[in-house]
Amino acid sequence: MEYPDNFEIPTFPAGKRIAVSRFMAIGVSILFLITIFLCFLILWSSKSQRIDPFLISIDNVTGQWIDVGHSHTNGPIKYTAARLLQESVLGKFTEKWFLITQDEQVNDSIWQTCQRDLSCINNNSIAYGENECSLFCLSGEELFSKFIYDVVPDYQNRFFMGEVWFIDKASIQMEPVSQISNIGGTWRIFAKIKSNLTEEINILAFAKIARNQNNYPQTLGYYVADFNAYKIN
C-alpha cells in the first residue's frame, strides 16, 4: 500500500491531508527552484548586455550606407562606444557652432537660449537634424553663455553683411588628446570653414566632452563642456 494515500482508514484519518500537504510541499519546492533559476537567468542576461556599435560610411553622392565596421562581421572594432558617441556629439556641435545661413529664422533657432527641461530632456524632441535649440542642447551652460555673448554678435554682423558660413564636413578631423572614458575626454578638431565672401578658413579647436545623463538624455549624457577654436591660416 502507498503511504499516505491508501491509508485513509478509521484508525488513520489524516491520510488525505498528509497527501495533500506533501503534494503542496513538492509544488512549492519546484516553484522555488524555478524562481532561483529565473533569478540567475536575469542576472546573467543583465551582465551579458553591452553596447555593440556599428561604423557606417555614407556615400556623399548616392547617399548609400555601408557597414564598414562591426564586431560580428569584421572582427573587433578598435573604437569604443564612448568614443563613437563623443565623436558624434562633437561633430554635430562643430557644424552648428560655425554655421551662418542666409535665413535669419534658422540662425535665430540655432542660437536661441532654450529651457533644458522642455527642449532637451523631452524624448519627443530630437537634437540631431533639427535646428531649434540644437546647439543649446549639445552645450554646457557656461559654454553656451560664452557663445551668446562673445560669438553671436560677430555672427550677426557677418549675417547683415550677407556672409554665409558652413563647415566642410569632409574636412573634419577629430582625435582625442587624453584618455577617452565613459564620462568624457578632451579632443582636438581640425576643420575648414567655407564662406561666400572670404577665402576658406582653416581652424584648429580643442573641446572637452563631459557627461550628465539627466540633462542630456538625447545624446546618452554627452555634451560639450568647453570649446576653443583658433584660425590657423
Side-chain angles (χ1 to χ4, degrees), residues 4-24:
D5 304 66
N6 296 327
F7 275 76
E8 186 65 23
I9 57 178
T11 59
F12 193 73
K16 282 188 175 181
R17 291 193 296 272
I18 294 177
V20 171
S21 299
R22 183 186 64 175
F23 174 79
M24 294 298 294

Side-chain angles (χ1 to χ4, degrees), residues 138-156:
L138 293 171
S139 307
E141 303 293 344
E142 294 183 4
L143 176 60
F144 191 78
S145 179
K146 183 177 74 172
F147 176 78
I148 292 298
Y149 289 105
D150 298 342
V151 180
V152 169
D154 176 63
Y155 283 7
Q156 290 175 333

Side-chain angles (χ1 to χ4, degrees), residues 6 20 52 59 62 74 82 84 89 123 135 160 162 207 211 220 222:
N6 296 327
V20 171
D52 192 11
D59 191 292
T62 64
N74 300 331
L84 295 176
V89 169
N123 291 329
L135 186 60
F160 290 132
R211 193 175 191 187
L220 298 182
Y222 292 107

Side-chain angles (χ1 to χ4, degrees), residues 13 63 76 80 84 87 97 111 129 144 155-156 159-160 164 171 178:
T80 64
L84 295 176
E87 283 188 357
W97 183 279
W111 302 339
F144 191 78
Y155 283 7
Q156 290 175 333
F159 168 77
F160 290 132
V164 172
S171 71
S178 67

Side-chain angles (χ1 to χ4, degrees), residues 71-82:
S71 60
H72 291 166
T73 56
N74 300 331
I77 300 175
K78 64 179 180 179
Y79 297 132
T80 64

